[in-house]
Amino acid sequence: MARTAGSHGARTAEAIRRAGLRLIFERGYEGMTLRDLAQAVGLQPGSLYNHIATKQALLFELVSEHMRTLTDALDAALAGVEGPLARLDAFVTFHVSYHLTRKVEVFVNNSELRSLEPDNREAIMALRRAYEQRLAAILAEGAQAGLLAVPDIPVTTYGILSLLTGVVTWYRPEGRLAEDEIVAIHRRLILDGLRGGGG
Amino acid sequence: MARTAGSHGARTAEAIRRAGLRLIFERGYEGMTLRDLAQAVGLQPGSLYNHIATKQALLFELVSEHMRTLTDALDAALAGVEGPLARLDAFVTFHVSYHLTRKVEVFVNNSELRSLEPDNREAIMALRRAYEQRLAAILAEGAQAGLLAVPDIPVTTYGILSLLTGVVTWYRPEGRLAEDEIVAIHRRLILDGLRGGGG
Amino acid sequence: MARTAGSHGARTAEAIRRAGLRLIFERGYEGMTLRDLAQAVGLQPGSLYNHIATKQALLFELVSEHMRTLTDALDAALAGVEGPLARLDAFVTFHVSYHLTRKVEVFVNNSELRSLEPDNREAIMALRRAYEQRLAAILAEGAQAGLLAVPDIPVTTYGILSLLTGVVTWYRPEGRLAEDEIVAIHRRLILDGLRGGGG
Amino acid sequence: MARTAGSHGARTAEAIRRAGLRLIFERGYEGMTLRDLAQAVGLQPGSLYNHIATKQALLFELVSEHMRTLTDALDAALAGVEGPLARLDAFVTFHVSYHLTRKVEVFVNNSELRSLEPDNREAIMALRRAYEQRLAAILAEGAQAGLLAVPDIPVTTYGILSLLTGVVTWYRPEGRLAEDEIVAIHRRLILDGLRGGGG
DNA sequence: CATGAATGAGCCTTCATTCAT
DNA sequence: CATGAATGAAGGCTCATTCAT
């Protein structure tokens, strides 16, 4: 019985990636066994090795593919947008929207960096720094142009990213607020702060 | 050789907690083995069981002790502070300061909840919600009093906590900024946002 | 891409035998994987099975082919040689020369008998005994004719074979001694022993 | 059930070595599984690791212990023996006797060097060369003193060792010949060769 | 209290072999 | 004939945990 119905090559590889992502999300990298993964895609454990090199390589592939996709999508979202305020707006909108719809990928990306072997981790950290750098550049431009009051560029960069990325920890699609409402709230928080209306 | 230097009684239990915290911080709960831990405190693995019930119990103890300490310290910091603005200020100052000096505890608390067994996790989540609730209450008071412009109380609560807690991911004691500068930056971000200086 | 360069038909089978022999020599039968072997001949592992029945069958074929070739070559070397002394001389010369030039085959033959399945091993042992028997017969004739002083025929037979076959463990073609010098040394050892020269 | 009756510490380690030696002799290093070994000594596979570091380390220990014992025993056998002829005699007698009674150790030592990792193999080869050197020295002295006619010292050294060591391949304690008869035959082969009695 | 030795479950990975295409 | 993908059986090793001493 060499082949179970309907599972040629690339389809199987894609199924492994999908199931792997979900299992790592649910149990963590160390918590997911290749036996679990094999069962999830209907294979024997050893057969996974026709599609992945090692468990670690699968994690790295998932994580680096996400980083590449994320960065490309950001660049697309910022393309043609001019002026620091508009670009900051575009960044916030993009980042929140993207994260709301990729909860699983984002969670894995943030919580499993620790499980990457040193070289792999370094490669991902570099991609991550490149992404952060785009926000830092917007803040720097805005500050220089007198359009944004940025207390400290590195700290503000990290702060905004923490704030925005935090949505994945509580967001549920069927929740009280629509996606664009959530985006709007974060835009306001970042631009205006809480200091009191009436006063 | 019945006893290695410096490991008698309660002292040993404390040494285990300390070493356990650090090892979990460095390698994650699943990544830390009891053999590692035993070696770190100069015991044989089996001897740990004179001081801890199980590996899971150790994690739970570490995490819940931190939550208790954190909440108590917050209450002390807020005690006697009146008015939403002052209380928000006190919250921000406390939270950032506390997190800067408890990097390890905080990191473990955030990244290892996943490794808690369901009941244990639920207990910690309850403590965590109680902590968050104190911030939510401040925001609610402030909004009602017209002193704070809060777009949405739950989202803002989570957002502020994400923003403030984010400092542990990059902070290093020997870094460019002093603790009170970091506090000040976050206070400004939260209260005033980035919207442009002069204009 | 149905066919990699240079691997059609019987040529492929021969390439497999050659590469198999070398790999078994280098890593042992258990140490050689069919993946190694496939790669060495530019095939996928599954494709080997168009040319060999099983891994074990390949080993058996290599080993038994060697035994057949060896025995035939011995018979050719002894053909027409008359008299025990001359025949012993011919045997020693042949055995050493042949082993010097077939280091790989001989090594595999001696060290991998253990990896043969019982029936296969028995078949090879029979061939081997037939080969040994030719030497035993020469010794017996020589002893009976009073031309050779053989302390014990079976022990001497095994002893001579051990002595002569031992050359494969240290011989290197580029070494200090030429092939015929090595042959001469062994002839002297066997016929004359070490007992002291002059006096 | 922490401990099965009667198997404390060192006793278990010794049982593992003994069973390991026998299993490697019977199936080869690669052919022996740690599951086999564990079962042979009545343990779970993982429990072996209380006594050995790795499978490879067990092999190395067995092999190097044998080499040490062998060399020490040779030195004892040669101690006080004077003159090349007497020393050669003592060497032959010792080597054959020792090998007859340590069939298993010798076989493992000769056939499993290949399974040693490079560093370990190099260490054993050094011990082996030291052993061989003792014979080479005897031959050299004998040749220089004109008491032995040695065609070529290195080749003769290897040759004698091959001849003598060969006994382990066929010897069975219940066989036709007593130990001292086998020793005597080999002494005669080495000293006198086969050249004919009567003439 | 500490130790040493044991358990039992499980993990990642390898491998000879099969077979539809 | 070759390929790619699958099977099923192991294999060396790790680990939390237990317990007699």
Side-chain angles (χ1 to χ4, degrees):
Chain A
M1 203 176 338
R3 176 169 303 167
T4 318
S7 55
H8 325 45
R11 238 184 295 268
T12 304
E14 183 53 27
I16 289 172
R17 274 199 294 278
R18 239 199 302 277
L21 187 64
R22 174 146 301 276
L23 285 169
I24 293 173
F25 171 69
E26 289 169 358
R27 313 182 189 180
Y29 174 75
E30 313 238 29
M32 174 193 76
T33 76
L34 292 190
R35 283 167 173 78
D36 295 338
L37 177 55
Q39 197 181 23
V41 295
L43 289 180
Q44 296 295 319
S47 304
L48 293 174
Y49 286 83
N50 287 319
H51 304 280
I52 66 174
T54 64
K55 190 188 180 190
Q56 168 76 201
L58 172 62
L59 174 62
F60 181 63
E61 189 186 319
L62 290 173
V63 163
S64 61
E65 186 187 331
H66 172 70
M67 280 310 299
R68 237 177 301 114
T69 306
L70 174 69
T71 306
D72 290 352
L74 172 62
D75 286 342
L78 290 178
V81 180
E82 304 290 344
L85 272 172
R87 287 179 71 80
L88 177 57
D89 225 56
F91 182 94
V92 172
T93 301
F94 165 76
H95 190 94
V96 172
S97 303
Y98 195 92
H99 280 57
L100 290 184
T101 56
R102 310 283 173 113
K103 191 180 160 82
V104 173
E105 286 87 343
V106 169
F107 191 88
V108 168
N109 239 264
N110 288 334
S111 61
E112 300 301 344
L113 289 193
R114 175 179 68 196
S115 294
L116 287 171
E117 288 164 2
D119 285 2
N120 288 341
R121 175 159 54 243
E122 198 36 61
I124 298 298
M125 295 299 278
L127 295 177
R128 187 176 268 250
R129 280 191 294 270
Y131 183 85
E132 294 166 357
Q133 210 39 48
R134 285 162 169 80
L135 173 57
I138 293 172
L139 296 180
E141 284 175 55
Q144 205 165 14
L147 296 167
L148 294 173
V150 184
D152 181 279
I153 290 184
V155 174
T156 304
T157 302
Y158 288 128
I160 291 176
L161 287 168
S162 293
L163 169 56
L164 298 183
T165 303
V167 298
V168 307
T169 62
W170 54 265
Y171 176 71
R172 284 166 311 130
E174 73 282 12
R176 175 172 55 93
L177 297 169
E179 188 183 311
D180 58 349
E181 294 176 301
I182 297 173
V183 168
I185 291 168
H186 284 87
R187 233 161 33 200
R188 257 193 64 191
L189 284 174
I190 287 173
L191 285 173
D192 300 321
L194 301 180
R195 195 176 304 275
Chain B
M1 95 209 74
R3 178 167 300 168
T4 319
S7 59
H8 31 83
R11 243 186 292 270
T12 303
E14 182 54 25
I16 290 172
R17 274 198 295 279
R18 237 199 304 278
L21 186 65
R22 175 145 300 274
L23 285 170
I24 294 174
F25 171 69
E26 289 169 359
R27 317 184 188 178
Y29 174 75
E30 311 239 29
M32 174 193 75
T33 75
L34 291 190
R35 279 162 176 78
D36 295 337
L37 178 55
Q39 196 184 25
V41 296
L43 290 179
Q44 295 297 319
S47 306
L48 293 175
Y49 286 84
N50 289 317
H51 305 280
I52 65 173
T54 65
K55 189 187 181 190
Q56 170 74 202
L58 173 62
L59 174 63
F60 180 64
E61 190 185 319
L62 290 173
V63 163
S64 62
E65 185 188 332
H66 171 72
M67 280 310 299
R68 236 177 301 112
T69 306
L70 174 69
T71 306
D72 289 353
L74 172 61
D75 286 342
L78 289 179
V81 180
E82 303 290 344
L85 271 172
R87 288 178 72 79
L88 177 57
D89 227 52
F91 182 93
V92 171
T93 300
F94 165 77
H95 190 94
V96 172
S97 302
Y98 195 92
H99 279 57
L100 290 185
T101 57
R102 310 284 173 113
K103 192 179 157 82
V104 173
E105 287 86 344
V106 169
F107 192 89
V108 168
N109 239 264
N110 289 333
S111 62
E112 301 301 342
L113 291 192
R114 176 180 68 196
S115 293
L116 287 170
E117 287 164 3
D119 284 1
N120 288 342
R121 177 160 52 242
E122 197 36 61
I124 298 298
M125 295 299 278
L127 294 177
R128 186 177 269 251
R129 278 191 296 272
Y131 183 85
E132 293 164 357
Q133 208 40 47
R134 284 163 170 79
L135 173 57
I138 293 172
L139 296 179
E141 284 174 55
Q144 206 164 15
L147 296 169
L148 293 174
V150 184
D152 180 278
I153 289 184
V155 174
T156 302
T157 302
Y158 287 128
I160 289 175
L161 287 167
S162 293
L163 169 57
L164 297 183
T165 303
V167 297
V168 305
T169 63
W170 55 264
Y171 176 71
R172 284 166 311 132
E174 74 281 14
R176 177 173 52 94
L177 298 169
E179 190 184 311
D180 58 348
E181 294 175 302
I182 297 173
V183 168
I185 291 168
H186 284 87
R187 235 166 28 205
R188 255 191 68 191
L189 284 175
I190 288 173
L191 286 173
D192 301 320
L194 300 180
R195 195 177 303 277
Chain C
M1 98 210 72
R3 177 168 299 169
T4 319
S7 60
H8 29 82
R11 241 184 294 270
T12 303
E14 182 53 26
I16 289 173
R17 273 197 297 277
R18 236 197 306 276
L21 186 65
R22 175 145 299 273
L23 285 170
I24 293 174
F25 171 68
E26 289 169 358
R27 315 184 189 179
Y29 175 74
E30 312 238 28
M32 174 193 74
T33 76
L34 291 190
R35 279 161 177 77
D36 294 338
L37 177 54
Q39 197 183 24
V41 296
L43 290 180
Q44 295 298 318
S47 306
L48 292 174
Y49 286 84
N50 288 317
H51 304 281
I52 65 173
T54 66
K55 190 187 179 190
Q56 169 76 201
L58 172 63
L59 175 62
F60 180 64
E61 190 185 319
L62 290 173
V63 163
S64 61
E65 185 188 331
H66 171 71
M67 280 311 298
R68 236 177 301 114
T69 306
L70 174 69
T71 307
D72 290 353
L74 172 62
D75 287 343
L78 289 179
V81 180
E82 303 291 343
L85 272 172
R87 288 177 71 79
L88 176 58
D89 225 54
F91 182 93
V92 171
T93 301
F94 165 77
H95 190 95
V96 172
S97 302
Y98 195 92
H99 279 57
L100 289 185
T101 57
R102 310 283 173 113
K103 192 178 158 81
V104 174
E105 286 86 344
V106 169
F107 191 89
V108 168
N109 239 265
N110 288 334
S111 62
E112 300 302 341
L113 290 192
R114 176 180 68 196
S115 294
L116 286 171
E117 288 164 2
D119 285 2
N120 289 340
R121 176 160 51 244
E122 199 34 63
I124 298 299
M125 295 299 279
L127 295 176
R128 188 177 268 252
R129 279 191 295 271
Y131 184 85
E132 294 164 359
Q133 210 39 47
R134 284 162 169 81
L135 173 58
I138 292 172
L139 297 179
E141 285 174 55
Q144 206 163 14
L147 297 168
L148 294 174
V150 184
D152 181 276
I153 290 185
V155 173
T156 303
T157 302
Y158 288 128
I160 290 176
L161 287 167
S162 293
L163 168 57
L164 297 183
T165 303
V167 297
V168 305
T169 63
W170 55 264
Y171 176 70
R172 282 166 312 129
E174 73 281 14
R176 176 172 54 94
L177 297 169
E179 191 183 309
D180 58 348
E181 294 176 301
I182 298 174
V183 168
I185 292 167
H186 284 86
R187 233 163 31 203
R188 257 192 65 191
L189 284 175
I190 287 173
L191 286 174
D192 300 320
L194 300 180
R195 195 177 304 274
Chain D
M1 186 177 357
R3 177 168 303 166
T4 317
S7 55
H8 326 44
R11 238 184 295 268
T12 304
E14 183 53 27
I16 290 172
R17 274 199 294 278
R18 238 199 303 277
L21 187 65
R22 174 145 303 274
L23 285 169
I24 294 174
F25 171 69
E26 289 170 358
R27 313 183 190 179
Y29 175 74
E30 312 239 29
M32 174 193 75
T33 76
L34 292 189
R35 281 164 173 81
D36 294 338
L37 177 55
Q39 198 182 23
V41 295
L43 289 180
Q44 295 297 318
S47 304
L48 293 175
Y49 286 85
N50 286 320
H51 305 280
I52 66 173
T54 63
K55 189 188 180 191
Q56 168 76 199
L58 173 61
L59 175 61
F60 180 64
E61 190 186 318
L62 291 173
V63 163
S64 61
E65 188 187 330
H66 171 70
M67 279 311 299
R68 236 176 303 115
T69 307
L70 173 69
T71 306
D72 289 352
L74 171 62
D75 286 341
L78 290 179
V81 179
E82 303 290 344
L85 272 172
R87 288 178 72 79
L88 177 58
D89 226 54
F91 182 94
V92 171
T93 301
F94 165 75
H95 189 96
V96 172
S97 302
Y98 195 92
H99 280 57
L100 289 185
T101 57
R102 310 283 173 114
K103 189 179 160 83
V104 173
E105 286 86 343
V106 169
F107 191 88
V108 168
N109 239 264
N110 289 331
S111 62
E112 300 301 341
L113 290 193
R114 171 179 74 195
S115 293
L116 286 171
E117 287 163 3
D119 284 2
N120 289 342
R121 174 158 54 241
E122 198 36 60
I124 298 300
M125 295 299 279
L127 295 176
R128 186 177 269 251
R129 279 190 295 270
Y131 183 85
E132 294 164 359
Q133 208 42 46
R134 284 161 168 80
L135 173 57
I138 293 172
L139 297 181
E141 283 175 56
Q144 207 164 12
L147 296 168
L148 293 174
V150 184
D152 180 279
I153 291 186
V155 173
T156 303
T157 303
Y158 287 128
I160 290 177
L161 287 168
S162 293
L163 167 58
L164 297 183
T165 303
V167 297
V168 306
T169 63
W170 56 263
Y171 176 71
R172 284 165 312 130
E174 73 280 14
R176 174 172 55 93
L177 298 169
E179 190 184 309
D180 59 348
E181 293 176 301
I182 297 174
V183 168
I185 291 168
H186 284 87
R187 232 163 31 202
R188 255 192 64 192
L189 283 175
I190 287 172
L191 286 174
D192 301 320
L194 301 180
R195 197 179 301 278

